[in-house]
Amino acid sequence: MPVENATYEIVRREDFSDVTYLLEVRVPLLARAAQPGQFVIVMSHPEGERIPLTIADFDREAGTITLVVQAVGKTTMEMQRDVKAGSHLYAVVGPMGEPSHLGAKKVVCVGGGLGVAPVYPQARAFKEAGAYVIGVIGFRNKELVFWEDKFRAVCDEFIICSDDGSVGIKGVVTKGIERAVAQHADIDRVIAIGPPIMMKACADLTRPLGITTIVSLNPIMIDGTGMCGGCRVKVGGRTKFACVDGPEFDAHQVDFNDLMSRLRRFRADEQVALESWQRACAAHSATAAD
Ligand SMILES: Cc1cc2nc3c(=O)[nH]c(=O)nc-3n(C[C@H](O)[C@H](O)[C@H](O)COP(=O)(O)OP(=O)(O)OC[C@H]3O[C@@H](n4cnc5c(N)ncnc54)[C@H](O)[C@@H]3O)c2cc1C
Ligand code: FES
């Protein structure tokens, strides 16, 4: 796994909404090694937290990887405020995790909300490998849509859904999968990435249909190397470490209830970290204004 002494320059930043932003980072060795399905661990400054982020795109020629981040807590909000084009991340380690297994003939690539970013490189890789690709992406509303054209360009068929009906089919992504399945009896793989509850719904839909379904799990990760056990998940009744055994697993074998309850475990601590950071920011602004 390459660990670079480069400066991890942000060559581009794009804001998709108030909470979602894209960072293109110069990290040539890593860009050369990256495969769809893998992730990196990022520290934005020396005292910062290490956070896992999926490699949403990579450009081997330019030596860059693309990350799409949702500001949900202390670190991702701090990065949203401080990490700009021309600035540098402190550390980027990877690529980590097992690459996606390609090798299906007709595949439905499903992305819910932020999940659109990590499923994109897979849709592109399937297309390049000669598969027939049906893209299904879903958002809460039209304002949150990103990468529609980019995704559409690597799909043979494309379905967009929104919770409020402001764009595409009204409803969640399972409606899009139902439509694809009704029109194609020979789908041999579904890849679904998004919030755990969405991936569980996709698994519940495809299980009785017997369609192999792969999900990318997002448990709390700490070291990302298989040593701390923080990211353990239950798959087929056995314990797996998502950072080294995954993050992709057979959706029909995943214990989603266990995953969701483990994700809730640190919520109080996360709230404390966020509030104390917000207080420190407010105090700093008040001092600066004096
Ligand atoms: C393999 C993997 C890939 C991911 N890819 C992306 C991505 O591409 N874009 C993106 O925006 N987010 C991604 N995440 C989630 C991202 O790591 C968390 O949102 C981030 O760590 C939150 O940190 P915070 O301090 O901002 O929020 P916190 O307030 O600390 O946490 C908010 C929520 O984020 C999750 N989280 C917190 N710490 C971690 C951690 N160390 N590891 C995993 N999840 C955590 C928990 O669900 C938590 O409830 C990924 C997670 C994993 C495991
Ligand atoms: S993050 Fe420590 S074992 Fe996976």
Side-chain angles (χ1 to χ4, degrees):
M1 172 191 313
V3 179
E4 299 194 39
N5 287 324
T7 50
Y8 312 121
E9 184 192 1
I10 306 299
V11 297
R12 185 166 73 93
R13 168 169 167 160
E14 186 180 345
D15 287 61
F16 293 138
S17 72
D18 288 353
V19 289
T20 311
Y21 53 99
L22 172 154
L23 301 173
E24 189 175 339
V25 191
R26 191 183 311 283
V27 52
L29 278 181
L30 207 155
R32 217 177 299 152
Q35 302 286 341
Q38 293 186 298
F39 65 97
V40 289
I41 291 198
V42 168
M43 280 175 81
S44 63
H45 61 84
E47 289 78 39
E49 190 189 11
R50 301 149 53 94
I51 62 163
L53 297 169
T54 307
I55 301 170
D57 203 356
F58 47 85
D59 183 333
R60 300 195 204 287
E61 305 253 303
T64 60
I65 60 165
T66 299
L67 308 172
V68 178
V69 189
Q70 193 159 24
V72 291
K74 191 245 166 193
T75 300
T76 46
M77 286 183 187
E78 188 180 44
M79 286 172 64
Q80 184 185 32
R81 187 193 64 179
D82 298 341
V83 179
K84 307 264 161 47
S87 71
H88 299 79
L89 297 174
Y90 174 68
V92 181
V93 179
M96 309 185 103
E98 286 288 314
S100 314
H101 296 287
L102 303 174
K105 291 199 178 73
K106 192 173 274 190
V107 59
V108 185
C109 291
V110 186
L114 192 76
V116 168
V119 87
Y120 166 77
Q122 306 207 30
R124 181 176 62 187
F126 273 110
K127 183 76 186 146
E128 285 170 0
Y132 188 91
V133 179
I134 304 168
V136 176
I137 66 173
F139 294 89
R140 285 208 310 278
N141 58 55
K142 194 173 177 206
E143 278 64 51
L144 298 174
V145 174
F146 66 89
W147 279 12
E148 178 179 350
D149 292 344
K150 190 173 160 97
F151 210 96
R152 202 184 275 276
V154 297
C155 293
D156 295 283
E157 285 178 44
F158 178 79
I159 300 169
I160 185 164
C161 312
S162 56
D163 293 4
D164 65 356
S166 53
V167 58
I169 300 178
K170 185 172 192 297
V172 291
V173 288
T174 44
K175 279 212 169 171
I177 304 175
E178 279 167 358
R179 179 179 287 192
V181 167
Q183 288 170 357
H184 300 269
D186 53 347
I187 291 167
D188 53 356
R189 181 117 29 116
V190 171
I191 319 282
I193 308 184
I197 194 75
M198 178 213 106
M199 295 191 284
K200 180 176 190 297
C202 295
D204 291 343
L205 173 68
T206 58
R207 189 179 291 108
L209 302 172
I211 303 173
T212 302
T213 299
I214 305 297
V215 287
S216 180
L217 301 187
N218 59 341
I220 304 280
M221 288 188 182
I222 302 162
D223 65 333
T225 64
M227 287 193 279
C228 71
C231 67
R232 63 184 177 275
V233 287
K234 279 192 202 151
V235 182
R238 302 180 64 183
T239 297
K240 299 276 180 185
F241 292 164
C243 66
V244 287
D245 300 323
E248 294 186 2
F249 293 99
D250 177 349
H252 299 154
Q253 302 292 322
V254 170
D255 183 339
F256 285 101
N257 293 332
D258 179 68
L259 172 69
M260 289 189 276
S261 100
R262 283 181 63 77
L263 280 170
R264 284 192 291 269
R265 254 177 79 195
F266 299 104
R267 205 139 281 173
D269 297 318
E270 289 156 2
Q271 191 59 29
V272 168
L274 177 60
E275 286 169 5
S276 105
W277 175 70
Q278 286 170 330
R279 272 197 305 277
C281 293
H284 183 262
S285 311
T287 315
D290 284 345

